[in-house]
């Protein structure tokens, strides 16, 4: 699911609301969306997958001050920028962003294998007793690296309609996630090209996994909190790092729009690497700092779909309009259109024609002067 552009607040608000209902239905259930309430009894966790380190950046540590010796405020624009731009690996950052979707795919494949191993089953046998479901959203860290927030749930073989086996638990799921992230299979190797070395990528060491609790048990990680958190990031993209919200045609745009130094270096890294990795379309996704995946995705049976939510809203509006039409006290106001004309007025047409003649005359004069200047000496004689 593509992110709604922040340039359209109305679309962004609707998209975030739909994402909230999609995620929450997969946590608390919603019979109107064919998700039984019993789904909240299935093991589920909220996990955050971060990017590895690409160099030291300005930050706000829990204790002390930043490595630069400054205690940064929360809104300090220096946060997330490189302490030493000369040694920071901007190329690796955008290449990681570019391959993050594939890294997630490898993780889900490995997670199924880890679950099968813990159950003493083959992967084919696992499908008959257990289904992995998830919904995730991508977020840009201040340093410009992508990371994922994911709701991961274990169901029975038929999805949310069926309970998982009794041996499945939150602890087992948590342990399997950690093992899948640490496994060598959950990695992507970007081959060497030009002056760029071969780079292997894995998720960062800051893996956070928390069980999701029902509302009212005193926990902060509730169904509503998780759904709200995911929805908040469904409409945010690389603009939060200082990048642009549109594709970049040339480098001059970076000067015209005064893009800050850190995101500018990341964008330029995309443009520089594009000829070396033509299949990765880095230039086309330079405004997204190389990331070319979907900002919000889910597994097939996690919950409802955005399309279904849009159809519910359309049906509701259509029913409202039909009720208004059936109401005898409703007064319909019919608007009409009249043709006003097109093009210039006679006076404007004359002025435009005069300007066009002057421009043509100036071009011809300049062309003749240039020909005289370039003509070899003595040619006129």
């Amino acid at each position: 699911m593509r992110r709604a552009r922040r340039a359209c607040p109305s679309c962004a608000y609707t998209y975030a609301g739909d994402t909230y209902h999609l995620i929450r239905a997969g946590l608390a259930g919603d019979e109107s969306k064919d998700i039984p309430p019993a789904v909240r009894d299935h093991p589920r966790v909220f996990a955050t997958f971060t990017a590895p380190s690409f160099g030291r950046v300005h930050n706000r540590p829990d204790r002390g001050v930043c490595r630069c010796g400054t205690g940064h405020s929360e809104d300090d624009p220096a946060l997330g920028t490189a302490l030493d731009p000369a040694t920071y690996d901007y190329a690796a950052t955008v290449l990681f962003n570019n391959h993050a979707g594939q890294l997630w795919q490898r993780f889900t494949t490995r997670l199924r294998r880890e679950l099968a191993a813990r159950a003493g089953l083959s992967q084919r046998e696992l499908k008959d007793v257990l289904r992995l479901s998830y919904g995730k959203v991508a977020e840009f860290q201040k340093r410009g690296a992508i990371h994922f927030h994911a709701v991961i749930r274990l169901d029975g073989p038929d999805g949310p309609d069926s309970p998982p086996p009794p041996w499945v638990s939150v602890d087992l799921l948590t342990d399997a996630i950690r093992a899948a992230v640490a496994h060598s299979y959950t990695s992507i190797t970007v081959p060497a090209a030009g002056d760029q070395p071969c780079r292997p990528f894995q998720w960062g060491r800051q893996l956070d996994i928390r069980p999701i609790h029902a509302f009212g048990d005193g926990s902060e990680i509730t169904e509503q909190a998780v759904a709200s958190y995911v929805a908040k990031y469904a409409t945010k993209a690389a603009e939060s790092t200082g990048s642009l919200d549109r594709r970049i045609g040339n480098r001059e745009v970076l000067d015209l729009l005064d893009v800050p130094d850190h995101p500018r270096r990341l964008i330029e890294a995309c443009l520089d690497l594009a000829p070396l990795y033509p299949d990765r379309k880095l230039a086309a996704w330079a405004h997204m700092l190389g990331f070319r995946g979907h900002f919000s995705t889910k597994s097939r049976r996690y919950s409802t779909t955005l399309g279904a939510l849009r159809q519910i809203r359309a049906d509701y509006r259509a029913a409202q309009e039909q009720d208004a039409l059936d109401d005898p006290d409703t007064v319909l106001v019919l608007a009409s259109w009249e043709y006003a004309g097109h093009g210039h007025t006679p006076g404007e047409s004359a002025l435009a024609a005069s300007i066009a003649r002057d421009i043509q005359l100036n071009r011809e004069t300049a062309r003749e002067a240039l020909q005289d200047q370039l003509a070899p000496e003595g040619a006129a004689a």
Side-chain angles (χ1 to χ4, degrees):
M1 294 171 277
R2 289 290 181 186
R3 175 187 63 95
R5 288 183 57 140
R6 296 175 68 190
C8 179
S10 178
C11 292
Y13 179 81
T14 301
Y15 185 83
D18 285 349
T19 302
Y20 171 84
H21 288 292
L22 185 152
I23 294 297
R24 190 174 185 279
L27 292 173
D30 190 332
E31 292 183 347
S32 66
K33 302 177 180 63
D34 298 325
I35 308 296
V39 75
R40 62 173 31 180
D41 297 324
H42 297 190
R44 66 263 176 92
V45 298
F46 182 57
T48 298
F49 302 81
T50 61
S53 174
F54 304 110
R56 293 183 174 183
V57 297
H58 294 274
N59 62 0
R60 299 181 70 236
D62 295 333
R63 298 181 180 178
V65 297
C66 177
R67 291 187 180 92
C68 69
T70 303
H72 298 288
S73 61
E74 291 185 4
D75 58 351
D76 191 337
L79 287 175
T81 62
L83 282 170
D84 183 8
T87 59
Y88 191 84
D89 200 342
Y90 294 96
T93 304
V94 299
L95 286 172
F96 174 85
N97 290 345
N98 192 254
H99 290 81
Q102 292 172 261
L103 196 58
W104 172 262
Q105 184 180 26
R106 281 183 162 263
F107 160 72
T108 56
T109 299
R110 186 64 213 176
L111 179 56
R112 291 183 178 93
R113 295 175 181 174
E114 293 291 341
L115 291 169
R118 281 157 178 74
L121 302 172
S122 67
Q123 293 186 65
R124 180 172 297 181
E125 293 171 334
L126 184 72
K127 293 180 181 179
D128 296 331
V129 297
L130 189 67
R131 176 184 288 269
L132 172 67
S133 297
Y134 66 84
K136 73 170 178 66
V137 67
E139 179 199 355
F140 275 98
Q141 296 174 299
K142 289 183 179 294
R143 58 178 171 146
I146 204 78
H147 67 174
F148 290 150
H149 302 290
V151 175
I152 303 176
R153 190 188 70 214
L154 295 181
D155 302 323
D158 298 325
D161 296 327
S162 57
W167 49 265
V168 173
S169 66
V170 170
D171 290 339
L172 181 142
L173 175 58
T174 300
D175 181 62
I177 291 173
R178 293 192 181 279
V181 168
H183 199 277
S184 59
Y185 178 83
T186 308
S187 63
I188 293 290
T189 300
V190 180
D195 60 345
Q196 296 298 318
C198 175
R199 289 186 172 93
F201 290 122
Q202 285 185 295
W203 295 113
R205 290 178 295 177
Q206 295 179 330
L207 173 66
D208 184 46
I209 307 173
R210 305 186 189 186
I212 301 173
H213 301 281
F215 180 75
D217 72 341
S219 172
E220 295 182 357
I221 310 299
T222 63
E223 298 152 351
Q224 289 88 340
V226 170
S228 298
Y229 191 83
V230 171
K232 178 177 69 172
Y233 288 106
T235 56
K236 292 186 177 182
E239 308 97 277
S240 60
T241 68
S243 183
L244 306 176
D245 64 350
R246 64 190 68 89
R247 293 198 172 185
I248 298 170
N250 52 61
R251 296 174 189 261
E252 288 72 18
V253 173
L254 304 178
D255 292 323
L256 293 174
L257 299 180
D258 195 23
V259 177
D261 181 68
H262 188 73
R264 179 192 181 106
R265 288 173 181 265
L266 292 170
I267 292 171
E268 289 177 337
C270 288
L271 300 177
D272 293 337
L273 293 171
L276 302 180
Y277 304 96
D279 60 317
R280 303 307 304 178
K281 302 185 185 301
L282 284 162
W285 295 101
H287 65 298
M288 299 304 297
L289 311 183
F291 181 64
R292 53 184 289 190
H294 291 271
F295 266 81
S296 178
T297 62
K298 70 177 189 65
S299 58
R300 185 182 299 275
R301 296 297 304 277
Y302 169 77
S303 178
T304 184
T305 65
L306 288 181
L309 293 174
R310 294 189 186 106
Q311 188 61 50
I312 292 173
R313 186 165 50 250
D315 293 342
Y316 177 77
R317 293 301 184 191
Q320 278 187 320
E321 294 177 2
Q322 187 62 46
D323 290 342
L325 292 173
D326 294 339
D327 187 349
D329 297 328
T330 299
V331 178
L332 298 179
V333 179
L334 302 178
S336 61
W337 294 84
E338 295 182 2
Y339 178 71
H342 72 281
H344 297 302
T345 64
E348 291 170 341
S349 297
L351 179 60
S354 176
I355 293 174
R357 286 194 299 270
D358 290 343
I359 293 174
Q360 182 64 26
L361 179 61
N362 291 339
R363 287 176 177 172
E364 292 176 355
T365 302
R367 190 180 298 113
E368 292 174 357
L370 182 61
Q371 290 176 348
D372 294 341
Q373 181 179 356
L374 296 179
E377 295 183 5

